[in-house]
Amino acid sequence: MRAEITERIYFAWVAMWVVVLLYVAVWLGMVFGWRWWKRRVMEREANVEHRTLNSEG
């Protein structure tokens, strides 16, 4: 009986670390994805602005 409880607690501890690592990986992916997306949007806006300035001159 005691060994069963110990195995369950160990399994729960390992599973918790898996959940934490997955959470951190997803969070970092979202942060870097957001930065990539914002940089892409800003580059696109800069290109549009550059084309507009060149066509006026």
Side-chain angles (χ1 to χ4, degrees), residues 8-54:
R8 287 182 187 171
I9 291 172
Y10 178 74
F11 178 73
W13 184 77
V14 170
M16 184 58 154
W17 278 107
V18 170
V19 170
V20 169
L21 288 176
L22 285 174
Y23 175 80
V24 169
V26 169
W27 187 82
L28 285 173
M30 290 175 65
V31 167
F32 286 114
W34 174 257
R35 290 179 66 193
W36 172 81
W37 181 77
K38 288 297 281 183
R39 184 178 39 209
R40 196 171 137 212
V41 168
M42 292 189 71
E43 286 175 357
R44 190 179 311 146
E45 289 175 358
N47 287 338
V48 168
E49 192 173 302
H50 180 70
R51 276 187 251 145
T52 305
L53 291 175
N54 284 342

